[in-house]
Structure formats: structure tokens, C-alpha cells
Amino acid sequence: MNLYVHFPFCRSKCAYCALRSRAGSKPEARAAYAEALARRVRAERAAGRVWDAVYFGGGSPALCDLSAFAGCGLETAREFTVELHPLDATDAKLDELAALGVNRVSMGVQSFDDAVLARMGRGHSAADALAAWRRIRAHGFANAGVDLIAGWPAADGVWRRTVETACSLEPAHVSCYTLIREPGTRVDLWTRKGIFAPPDDDAALAELDFAFDAFGKLGLRRYEISNCARPGAECRHNLGTWRGEDYLGLGEGAHGRLGLARTENGATVDVLTPERDAVERAIFAFRMREGLDLDAAAKRFPALAPRLSEWRAALARLAAEGLVAAEGARWRLTRRGTEVCDAVLADLV
């Protein structure tokens, strides 16, 4: 099972995200929040939960004193990831993470252009990110990756230079997302005021294609729509989610899935019908390069059986449109299909 621990602490009101701290920003509040979550982890462990992957993310977990989690059993997970802002990747924090058992780091770089970073409100420079990366590697975190944001309006050549710089770091993993206009963010406000014009979908997708082609030449395989990795360095936490496995989310706003139950901060907020649960768990496989084997999915989720004939007909139609393709028993999105993934999934659901 995957354990996702959510820390809603942002360094700033980032232009590309809508997170706001609800637990308080004072050191005392952060310490109390971390300790409360550590107690929850111990309780879950005592109840027999065993973690395959642990992911500390959502905001900036490094803003908390993570020592509260020492001895919780998190170190036994095969993969223990922490998200880091470049300014949080200090020698002291990296020592703390290593002692805690963290073996994977994901750093939110977003861009290697100072003008873009300043407008994003990231609070760090390209030089800060490069220095942080050197420290991460010096502390022995070989399984480390970066996050980038495509589709941010910038001068010609900026995205190419960002991708080239990312390639020079030789990361094990890269997450590359397109800019999303989230309600209440700076991007949303600027767009409504007419002072910001996000690029059209074709331009953003062209940037993604350029990036994944460049990372592919480094040996990073695009295993999911927004992620590529060296073989064996795929994020286990995310793989579990996309493969329809259970996962426990702890922390404010952290969502989970346990059986038929949707959870928030570990508490049940909704219970699905078996058919709805089966559909939602199976459908995410289309986000991945491996795709979906309908017959295998029906064996795993018997409640999916009534939908099989409907899905086969829909997939045949989508194949005729060039959006999906059958490879043996598996159906996968085509390159064009990945560009309109949400529409394909909506058609099936």
C-alpha cells in the first residue's frame, strides 16, 4: 500500500498552484502538525499497515521538522519520496531526510530561467536550483528528479534552454506538466485581467513533445503522460495510484482510496458502488504507457464485466479516430490520444 502524507505549507502563493496553508505557518503550528501526523502513522502501522511506497508531498514538507516521524516504520518502505523546494535542500535538511530513511527526492524546479521563475513567484533562481541539485547528489540521493512546467509564456528559446539544463543534470526522473489555470491563483487573476496569455494547447503540447524527446535520448522512458524515468526509477507511489491500488492519504486535504471508500485525511468521505470503483481504478491505466488489458482488468475487478462490451465498442471507435491502438491484449493511447487523454477517459466513463 502507498502512504501519502500531505503537508499544505507553501513557501509562497505560487502562480502555478492553488495550495494555501490551513494548518498555520508558525514553527509551533508546523511542529504540532507534523507530530499529529506522526501519531497517525504510528497508529496505522500498529493496525497492520505495511507501506510499499511513502510520499511526503503537497506544498513544502521540508518546512516542517520531520524528526517527529523517526521510528514510525516509514524507513521500511521500498520507496520513500520527499518533495523539495530548491531553497529547502540545505545540507542540514538533506542529512535529516537521509536519517529518516528517505531514498528518493523530487525537486520542484519548474524552470531554469530567472525571469520565468520570478513571475511564477517561486522564490528561487536557476543558480539556486543548480546548487540544490549538487547538494542532493552529494548527499547520496541517486534516485532524484525534477519537476518542470511547460506552457509558461516566455521568450523564444527559454523552454529549450530549460530542457537542455535539466538534461545536463542527468536526473533519474522528470515530471513535466503543462500550465493549468487554477481558480484563485495568480495565473487566473492575470488571465482575467488580460495581462497574461497562456499559450494555446498546441504550443504547450509542442513543448512537451520537445522535452520528452530530449529526455528520451538520455534514456528516460515516458512511462506516463507527464512522467519519464530511467528504467527502474519510475515513481512507485504514482504507479500504484495509476494501477488502481489502495493508498492511504494523511494530512489536510490528502485524499486516499481504501476498498470502496474515498478518504480524506484517513477518514471516509464517500463510499462507491463496486462498478463505479472498478471503472475508476481501471481507467487510470490509460495514462500509462503499459495501457489496459480489458480481460485482465475484468478478472481483477469483477464488477467491471458489465461494461466490457460497451468499452470494446468505444475503443474500436476511438481507434478509428487514431486516439487508441491495440497491442496484443492491451489498449494504449496513441501519441495523439495522450494529447486529449481527458476526453478519451470521459468518453469511456
Side-chain angles (χ1 to χ4, degrees), residues 139-188:
H139 280 260
F141 292 102
N143 192 358
V146 296
D147 293 358
L148 302 176
I149 298 290
W152 188 278
D156 289 343
V158 166
W159 179 247
R160 174 180 56 79
R161 290 192 294 274
T162 281
V163 171
E164 290 173 349
T165 302
C167 286
S168 73
L169 303 180
E170 298 184 348
H173 190 283
V174 177
S175 296
C176 197
Y177 305 103
T178 53
L179 180 67
I180 297 175
R181 179 181 169 183
E182 293 280 2
T185 62
R186 203 182 306 180
V187 167
D188 182 47

Side-chain angles (χ1 to χ4, degrees), residues 142 290 339:
E290 63 191 39
E339 297 174 357

Side-chain angles (χ1 to χ4, degrees), residues 289-293 324-334:
R289 184 185 181 91
E290 63 191 39
L292 178 68
D293 182 328
V324 300
E327 296 182 24
R330 290 186 174 274
W331 288 89
R332 296 183 175 92
L333 295 177
T334 62

Side-chain angles (χ1 to χ4, degrees), residues 6-9 20-34 64 251-252:
H6 180 93
F7 282 87
F9 295 109
R20 298 293 182 269
S21 171
R22 287 172 288 166
S25 58
K26 294 181 179 179
E28 298 80 7
R30 295 200 296 268
Y33 182 46
C64 287
E252 290 199 352

Side-chain angles (χ1 to χ4, degrees), residues 18 31 55 83 95 97 100 119-120 156 170 172 174 186-187 201 214 216 340:
Y55 197 103
E83 288 184 355
D95 284 339
L97 297 179
L100 195 60
R119 203 168 188 203
M120 283 183 174
D156 289 343
E170 298 184 348
V174 177
R186 203 182 306 180
V187 167
D201 289 344
V340 291

